[in-house]
Amino acid sequence: MTEATIESVLQENRSFPPPAEFSQQAHIKSLEEYEQLYDRAKADPEAFWAELAEQELDWFQKWDRVLDWQPPFAQWFVNGKLNISYNCLDRHLTTWRRNKAALIWEGEPGDSCTYTYAQLHREVCQFANVLKQLGVQKGDVVGIYMPMIPEAAVAMLACARIGAPHTVVFGGFSAEALRDRLNDGKAKLVITADGGWRKDTIVPLKEQVDKALAEKAVPTVAHVLVVERTKQGVHMEAGRDHWWHDLRQGVSADCPAEPMDSEDMLFILYTSGSTGKPKGVVHTTGGYNLYTHMTTKWVFDLRDTDVYWCTADVGWITGHSYIVYGPLSNGATSLMYEGAPRPSNPGCFWDVIEKYGVNIFYTAPTAIRAFIKAGEHLPKARDLSSLRLLGTVGEPINPEAWMWYHRVIGGGRCPIVDTWWQTETGGHMLTPLPGAIPTKPGSATRPFPGILADVVDLEGNSVGTNEGGYLAIRYPWPGMMRTVYGDDDRFRRTYWEHIPPKDGQYFYFAGDGARKDADGYYWVMGRVDDVINVAGHRLGTMEIESALVSHPAVAEAAVVGKPDDLKGNEIVAFITLDGNVTPSEALKAELRQHVGNEIGAIARPGEIRFSDALPKTRSGKIMRRLLRSLAAGQEVSGDTSTLEDRSVLDKLREGV
Ligand code: WTA
């Protein structure tokens, strides 16, 4: 066995057709309709996207050419002019949506507010005028370091309105992480708040900004605009720091949207990258607007009466694409929640669903595993009957977690869209269209129309049915990243050279392993960096973990390889047990046996370690790289700044 492929070992045969009532009212109503759409897009992607761009977006000036592809650099809708803030706001004001709720916001302490499209437009225009007064010009990069309050969305839209690319830094990142990102982007101004609520405490954002900017550590930043949220009292540096509520006084709410070139930069968003310097992923205007618009519309099957809730933070791509730009471009009602499930109210998400009659709920597998652990009595105590569609993103979802989500949260009636995509792809790539594509637990199903996905070996040959390989995309799409900010060469090396071009065709390398089944369904097997080589078999993490999670005692599992003289690697499993299960040697033996039964002896963990928690990034992804060092008995090295809870590592080191 070579590096060429990855072995797939897990079987999952359950399938859930879309409920008939759902399909009847859906945008895309049947598998045939999806397949027709897919085939048409594949035959002529440019015509497909051009038609949608014309129908779905407002342009100040039409493009000359749909696609200019100089691999690996793409330009979409060349010379087209538009503004995404215009598409998200202004164009709805001349329709009945003018007074429709655009944003519904619920604060963690229980305060709340709603902005209609007309109100949101007014806020954004004023905010944009204040930015201009502070000297921000078209092309200037603006840093946003905000809690989950409406002003975070207002700030993004205001930047987009005047053509100032934003770079949102997740509010949980440290001052150093903020400083590095602001410096890399050469930000001119930072938008922040005094603080934000998260898990019953105040996150002191302004204090972190002060640290990041101390001693002119970010020389390009001239001003800081501060939104008042938590009112705990903060230092305000004279001449540099300004309160939003002061500066907005008397400012005009008239601010026409700047005509932007389709390829003008809309934002930079840094991905942590497991090692080394964070990458500034660059997205531009026209292609991103179209791609997030279409995926929001078809994947969430949006209806005008829906209350749609995505639980991500605006600091991640999911928040950019599916709280702000995609939903608002569609004229949807997007719900924004400030905090996270917390000790004082672990069932708060279910309260929010009941309170607002949420119809579409989009969250991450890490959250679902936490819900499972917290117990089903919490959601059962609330009325969740308004829900009609569920979604997940961020990691492979284990089939048993999928089944729980379907049964307990979805009441068995809601389709689940398991959406595979990345910061780099801008929007959903592999995903069910919920009225058309039957779902299988653990599979992100089929590619979105216009996405030419494949599973290939390292020479770019498609692998056979049910053979594992590298997930790759064979043709540009409008939402793709354009480059790594300031580093075209890194862009080329990271994404386009792992699989060398073949017969003039380039392959976008996603870094994930996958297999395709006989129905053309994709099964993402985890990051290829995490693949474990056991006695010549290359195994993905997702399948072994899913086998472990299918045991009733297991809440969460992460497997890694530990160097072994004989086998190359031995599998070490880190396991979080269900709340009322006691760890024991007998249980370890039982779990090893269970994996043997589910998959086969080859995948049986050599070692099992129980733990209260697993190390995760702040967006909830398990950091297997750290577990690998622990399993090998080495010091944890490399970047740990993205770790959610540092104490988890110490506990794991002490071992169980
Ligand atoms: C993983 C999040 C399996 C994957 C939008 C990808 C998934 C990385 C899924 C991107 C899914 C995301 N099934 N794996 N449905 N969604 N991933 O940039 O490894 O934070 O490459 O973007 O998350 O993470 P990012």
Side-chain angles (χ1 to χ4, degrees):
M1 196 93 195
T2 65
E3 295 274 302
T5 55
I6 304 164
E7 238 171 290
S8 174
V9 284
L10 191 75
Q11 284 288 325
E12 170 58 58
N13 298 320
R14 290 169 286 199
S15 168
F16 295 81
E21 328 71 83
F22 193 103
S23 296
Q24 275 154 20
Q25 301 186 47
H27 288 294
I28 314 295
K29 296 177 172 27
S30 66
L31 194 57
E32 296 69 52
E33 198 182 332
Y34 159 75
E35 280 172 348
Q36 276 168 15
L37 207 54
Y38 189 85
D39 291 344
R40 185 153 65 80
K42 185 175 173 186
D44 191 349
E46 274 130 89
F48 173 76
W49 292 118
E51 191 181 307
L52 293 172
E54 187 114 46
Q55 270 168 24
E56 300 281 335
L57 299 186
D58 284 24
W59 297 82
F60 299 141
Q61 180 188 305
K62 202 179 156 175
W63 54 90
D64 301 331
R65 208 149 25 114
V66 180
L67 171 65
D68 180 284
W69 179 221
Q70 313 284 340
F73 302 102
Q75 295 189 43
W76 283 90
F77 309 110
V78 180
N79 288 329
K81 305 275 185 268
L82 77 168
N83 187 298
I84 196 169
S85 149
Y86 183 93
N87 276 318
C88 287
L89 299 167
D90 306 53
R91 63 172 174 159
H92 304 311
L93 302 187
T94 53
T95 71
W96 68 268
R97 293 195 186 98
R98 180 180 179 84
N99 295 318
K100 173 179 174 177
L103 276 186
I104 296 177
W105 174 78
E106 176 84 4
E108 202 182 79
D111 45 347
S112 60
C113 66
T114 297
Y115 289 87
T116 64
Y117 274 94
Q119 289 172 314
L120 189 61
H121 175 259
R122 196 183 152 77
E123 290 285 306
V124 168
C125 287
Q126 261 196 340
F127 207 104
N129 280 332
V130 166
L131 291 177
K132 282 195 208 164
Q133 279 181 9
L134 290 173
V136 177
Q137 295 180 356
K138 185 171 175 172
D140 289 345
V141 172
V142 172
I144 298 181
Y145 186 64
M146 288 284 266
M148 284 289 288
I149 56 177
E151 287 82 355
V154 170
M156 290 163 75
L157 290 160
C159 288
R161 195 163 188 88
I162 61 175
H166 53 70
T167 178
V168 184
V169 178
F170 172 58
F173 276 142
S174 65
E176 300 89 83
L178 175 62
R179 185 196 301 140
D180 291 349
R181 286 158 174 77
L182 293 174
N183 266 326
D184 190 80
K186 299 180 197 64
K188 294 275 161 53
L189 179 141
V190 180
I191 303 167
T192 188
D194 47 359
W197 287 102
R198 191 174 163 82
K199 299 195 178 175
D200 297 322
T201 51
I202 291 177
V203 181
L205 295 165
K206 176 60 169 61
E207 204 180 299
Q208 298 296 321
V209 171
D210 291 343
K211 275 192 209 152
L213 300 185
E215 291 163 18
K216 294 244 177 310
V218 189
T220 49
V221 170
H223 293 286
V224 180
L225 186 55
V226 190
V227 175
E228 189 173 52
R229 164 63 183 143
T230 40
K231 302 197 169 92
Q232 79 275 33
V234 292
H235 166 76
M236 294 293 278
E237 183 95 11
R240 187 193 71 182
D241 301 348
H242 316 269
W243 289 108
W244 154 237
H245 58 258
D246 286 342
L247 293 199
R248 74 182 298 178
Q249 296 304 322
V251 169
S252 159
D254 179 23
C255 176
E258 185 71 26
M260 302 301 292
D261 189 89
S262 178
E263 281 302 327
D264 276 337
M265 182 159 75
L266 175 62
F267 63 84
I268 309 169
L269 184 59
Y270 288 85
T271 59
S272 40
S274 49
T275 48
K277 195 170 144 226
K279 292 185 286 265
V281 171
V282 170
H283 282 287
T284 58
T285 307
Y288 176 83
N289 191 355
L290 179 66
Y291 198 66
T292 52
H293 180 98
M294 289 320 303
T295 46
T296 305
K297 180 170 176 170
W298 287 348
V299 174
F300 297 121
D301 191 46
L302 267 187
R303 286 189 218 147
D304 254 316
T305 48
D306 282 328
V307 176
Y308 158 87
W309 182 18
C310 163
T311 70
D313 190 283
V314 288
W316 312 123
I317 190 69
T318 308
H320 284 56
S321 300
Y322 299 115
I323 294 176
V324 181
Y325 292 118
L328 297 181
S329 181
N330 278 284
T333 298
S334 183
L335 192 149
M336 200 172 170
Y337 179 65
E338 184 181 28
R342 56 191 190 277
S344 68
N345 184 2
C348 60
F349 277 19
W350 320 126
D351 291 347
V352 172
I353 291 177
E354 184 179 84
K355 175 171 175 185
Y356 294 102
V358 171
N359 307 105
I360 304 171
F361 179 65
Y362 188 39
T363 195
T366 181
I368 297 168
R369 295 187 303 252
F371 302 149
I372 297 174
K373 219 176 163 198
E376 60 182 82
H377 61 284
L378 293 169
K380 288 253 163 85
R382 293 287 172 269
D383 179 5
L384 306 183
S385 61
S386 58
L387 290 171
R388 66 179 191 87
L389 179 67
L390 303 176
T392 122
V393 56
E395 284 178 295
I397 179 164
N398 307 126
E400 288 319 312
W402 193 104
M403 291 301 298
W404 186 93
Y405 195 32
H406 187 255
R407 176 176 61 84
V408 179
I409 307 305
R413 71 184 178 278
C414 304
I416 297 178
V417 288
D418 173 357
T419 60
W420 176 86
W421 60 294
Q422 308 177 298
T423 305
E424 293 86 341
T425 70
H428 306 143
M429 300 293 279
L430 303 176
T431 173
L433 301 184
I437 301 181
T439 51
K440 303 184 188 185
S443 169
T445 75
R446 311 271 295 258
F448 193 78
I451 300 305
L452 306 190
D454 202 355
V455 181
V456 298
D457 63 19
L458 284 178
E459 273 88 56
N461 306 305
S462 304
V463 302
T465 301
N466 282 323
E467 268 180 45
Y470 299 86
L471 184 51
I473 313 294
R474 291 169 162 273
Y475 199 76
W477 66 101
M480 69 197 278
M481 76 183 283
R482 298 303 193 259
T483 190
V484 172
Y485 187 63
D487 200 344
D488 285 349
D489 194 48
R490 189 168 178 199
F491 174 59
R492 188 192 300 272
R493 269 184 307 162
T494 312
Y495 302 103
W496 302 93
E497 287 185 351
H498 282 269
I499 305 164
K502 197 174 148 185
D503 309 328
Q505 186 175 79
Y506 277 69
F507 295 86
Y508 169 81
F509 173 76
D512 286 322
R515 75 177 160 99
K516 209 167 23 154
D517 72 15
D519 298 325
Y521 278 51
Y522 286 77
W523 298 78
V524 177
M525 296 157 71
R527 301 291 299 167
V528 293
D529 295 345
D530 292 333
V531 162
I532 309 174
N533 194 328
V534 187
H537 299 271
R538 286 166 45 81
L539 304 174
T541 49
M542 142 67 155
E543 300 189 323
I544 307 169
E545 290 163 5
S546 291
L548 284 161
V549 173
S550 74
H551 189 284
V554 176
E556 196 160 41
V559 297
V560 297
K562 168 179 160 181
D564 178 276
D565 288 344
L566 218 57
K567 294 192 241 172
N569 271 286
E570 173 177 80
I571 297 172
V572 180
F574 292 83
I575 285 175
T576 310
L577 291 172
D578 213 65
N580 38 27
V581 178
T582 338
S584 69
E585 286 305 313
L587 181 58
K588 287 185 183 176
E590 189 180 321
L591 290 174
R592 268 195 292 270
Q593 188 52 43
H594 179 71
V595 176
N597 297 345
E598 292 283 304
I599 300 182
I602 183 73
R604 215 157 39 198
E607 187 182 333
I608 288 185
R609 298 198 197 176
F610 295 123
S611 154
D612 287 344
L614 297 173
K616 291 183 186 168
T617 64
R618 290 174 185 272
S619 64
K621 295 187 208 299
I622 296 172
M623 294 178 82
R624 293 181 189 76
R625 175 173 60 87
L626 306 187
L627 293 175
R628 252 191 318 269
S629 307
L630 285 175
Q634 297 160 351
E635 267 311 296
V636 170
S637 59
D639 183 18
T640 53
S641 66
T642 56
L643 195 60
E644 153 111 70
D645 176 0
R646 284 168 174 277
S647 69
V648 170
L649 270 190
D650 300 328
K651 282 192 211 139
L652 278 165
R653 238 181 242 117
E654 286 156 22
V656 195

